[in-house]
Amino acid sequence: MAKTALYTCLALLASASAAHADDARVDSELKQITAWRRDLHQHPELSNRETRTSKIVADELKKLGYDVHTGIARTGVVGILKGDKPGPKLAIRADMDALPVTEQVDLPFASKTKGEYLGKTVGVMHACGHDAHTAMQLGLAEILAKMRKDLPGEVMLIFQPAEEGPPPGEEGGAPLMVKDGVFKDFKPDAVFGMHVVSALSVGTVGVRAGGAMASSDTFRIVVHGRQSHGATPWKSIDPIVTAAEIVTSAQTIVSRQLDINHDPAVVTFGIFNGGQRFNIVPETAELQGTIRAFDEGMRQQALKSLKNIAEHVAAANNATVETEIPTPTSNPVNYNDPAMTARVRASLEKAIGKDHVIEADRWMASEDFPQLAMSIKVPSVYFFVGATPAGQDAANAPSNHSPKFFLDEGTLKIGTEAMLQAALDFLRGT
Ligand SMILES: [Zn+2]
Ligand SMILES: [Zn+2]
């Protein structure tokens, strides 16, 4: 997660009161939004297991008169609201899943929930703030439903499961929603999303045009050599030496091949496995790692380069390689369309005050959100909503995914106001 001194300075500025465009509408829902958030927080559900959350969402949307679709990507829910006036179509996405983390925050509604994860019983916690996302989007659903008579266009509210990734062996999240036809009968003109973050103080919203969150590609390289006694290495084709050369050569992808003046990128090897005994050259060695980028072209270049290096270094050592670059579980760059981002930024400034909207730092984490808009080739915008209490050092606050992740509930008001304004301005064409 991006943590800069800049955030801390701006966060201090953000503690002053802001001008709120749709204050009254959000204020009247705030009690309910807070109640939903606390209830969801107390009853978190792991990825692809969000059945209770999904039912709460679906029941509420039905009550509000939305056209409700359930069972998309297992527990996903979609609600569509048609305004009485003509206008564009907008999709807004919130995620619903929690993490296998045991909560260490002293709250009256702290989670005591247990779940099954990778065959083990684990604590479950909304350590990434998806409880807040779901609650804010339900609040938005109510506000928009009440405005239906004056509402131009159509809104699709997407409540997505498994953003944190489905359990191994299962499909899930945004790609499964796409596969299940989430946009088959309703094609939005744009998709909006937001995320609460500990790195910003409550009252501050961050947004940036272009690559806002990194692509994430996992890779796997298996070097096949020839086994021999360690005392006679000339009889071997050494996969360890070859794999080591691949790791070293791959360092030039970022340092010598990519234009890092344009955007940063990362190539990291996290697994290097080979051999079982000190005096045996093994048959194979395995490498696994991750590639992160903020530009689709750079991402593709890095993937191609790694494959090239793996194959040619192996050939130079008389070894062969088996490559999976990338493995199927990838996230693309979370790319904020520049023109649409300019519009959304103006809406955010209108909603919470110009001084409270900052240019967000890039975030090297990844999201499956961009897969929604990419699947139908429409622009998307994703912004960050500060969650750390005023007066605390946001840069050093327990981060998202920490058992100590703490969300100041003032975030609920700011986030709902921000998304409401962005949605209304988009639908009104202003
Ligand atoms: Zn997360
Ligand atoms: Zn998250």
Side-chain angles (χ1 to χ4, degrees):
M1 178 180 302
K3 288 173 183 171
T4 67
L6 177 69
Y7 278 170
T8 321
C9 299
L10 288 161
L12 290 172
L13 288 173
S15 57
S17 68
H20 300 297
D22 278 281
D23 235 4
R25 285 197 187 97
V26 174
D27 281 346
S28 65
E29 295 300 329
L30 210 52
K31 224 175 130 187
Q32 180 61 68
I33 294 171
T34 308
W36 276 321
R37 186 260 160 170
R38 290 181 181 187
D39 175 68
L40 295 172
H41 192 85
Q42 205 165 4
H43 302 98
E45 294 173 301
L46 290 170
S47 306
N48 272 358
R49 308 286 182 268
E50 310 89 339
T51 46
R52 179 182 182 272
T53 310
S54 167
K55 186 174 184 320
I56 291 171
V57 168
D59 288 351
E60 190 56 34
L61 292 176
K62 278 178 202 154
K63 213 163 73 189
L64 293 169
Y66 278 71
D67 174 17
V68 180
H69 304 261
T70 57
I72 306 169
R74 292 166 177 258
T75 57
V77 183
V78 165
I80 296 168
L81 182 75
K82 256 189 188 164
D84 285 355
K85 294 182 176 170
K89 291 180 176 177
L90 175 66
I92 308 173
R93 179 276 220 162
D95 39 16
M96 304 190 288
D97 55 328
L99 285 158
V101 170
T102 303
E103 178 149 17
Q104 289 177 23
V105 185
D106 185 18
L107 291 169
F109 52 90
S111 164
K112 297 195 171 45
T113 304
K114 301 269 182 235
E116 264 299 291
Y117 187 69
L118 301 180
K120 285 188 186 147
T121 302
V122 291
V124 184
M125 176 192 176
H126 268 297
C128 203
H130 299 181
D131 50 341
H133 300 166
T134 303
M136 288 191 280
Q137 188 144 296
L138 282 176
L140 193 68
E142 283 215 6
I143 296 167
L144 292 172
K146 283 181 189 163
M147 297 174 72
R148 191 176 199 155
K149 270 200 169 59
D150 301 312
L151 196 70
E154 296 171 49
V155 184
M156 170 190 252
L157 297 178
I158 300 172
F159 292 85
Q160 186 205 297
E163 188 282 324
E164 302 290 1
E170 292 181 24
E171 288 183 274
L176 188 56
M177 289 203 103
V178 170
K179 201 170 155 188
D180 281 359
V182 65
F183 296 136
K184 199 165 80 60
D185 300 318
F186 182 103
K187 190 186 166 202
D189 301 300
V191 186
F192 291 171
M194 64 177 165
H195 207 299
V196 298
V197 288
S198 68
L200 294 176
S201 285
V202 61
T204 304
V205 169
V207 65
R208 72 177 290 124
M213 292 175 77
S215 59
S216 168
D217 289 295
T218 306
F219 61 81
R220 183 169 171 267
I221 299 166
V222 181
V223 180
H224 293 273
R226 186 167 61 222
Q227 185 269 333
S228 84
H229 195 291
T232 56
W234 56 88
K235 290 182 179 171
S236 77
I237 294 173
D238 191 334
I240 291 185
V241 172
T242 306
E245 271 186 47
I246 291 171
V247 173
T248 307
S249 294
Q251 304 311 306
T252 62
I253 296 172
V254 174
S255 70
R256 293 295 178 272
Q257 297 182 37
L258 297 178
D259 178 2
I260 51 168
N261 195 38
H262 179 67
D263 267 315
V266 164
V267 177
T268 293
F269 290 84
I271 293 177
F272 191 139
N273 280 336
Q276 257 147 4
R277 197 182 141 82
F278 72 96
N279 64 355
I280 299 174
V281 176
E283 184 86 22
T284 61
E286 183 189 3
L287 303 169
Q288 285 186 41
T290 182
I291 292 180
R292 308 283 170 122
F294 288 94
D295 174 275
E296 187 56 29
M298 290 173 73
R299 174 194 182 200
Q300 293 307 332
Q301 195 187 341
L303 291 167
K304 206 172 132 198
S305 261
L306 181 62
K307 191 168 162 58
N308 197 27
I309 286 170
E311 288 173 354
H312 286 87
V313 169
N317 285 280
N318 296 317
T320 56
V321 276
E322 206 188 305
T323 59
E324 226 186 327
I325 308 174
T327 59
T329 50
S330 290
N331 278 330
V333 176
N334 194 357
Y335 182 82
N336 281 339
D337 176 80
M340 192 62 74
T341 304
R343 285 179 65 186
V344 169
R345 184 190 293 264
S347 302
L348 300 178
E349 290 176 352
K350 210 192 310 181
I352 66 163
K354 207 174 166 106
D355 293 345
H356 302 263
V357 180
I358 65 163
E359 175 76 6
D361 210 348
R362 293 181 185 89
W363 194 8
M364 201 53 91
S366 77
E367 246 284 0
D368 64 6
F369 167 79
Q371 302 199 34
L372 295 168
M374 273 177 79
S375 74
I376 45 170
K377 297 185 172 57
V378 299
S380 63
V381 179
Y382 188 90
F383 55 87
F384 305 107
V385 183
T388 292
Q392 282 186 25
D393 178 9
N396 291 308
S399 67
N400 294 58
H401 290 208
S402 159
K404 293 187 171 145
F405 174 71
F406 179 80
L407 177 126
D408 184 303
E409 286 186 335
T411 306
L412 302 172
K413 178 176 160 75
I414 300 290
T416 312
E417 281 174 354
M419 190 56 92
L420 174 64
Q421 194 67 57
L424 290 178
D425 287 347
F426 178 84
L427 294 169
R428 289 168 180 156
T430 53

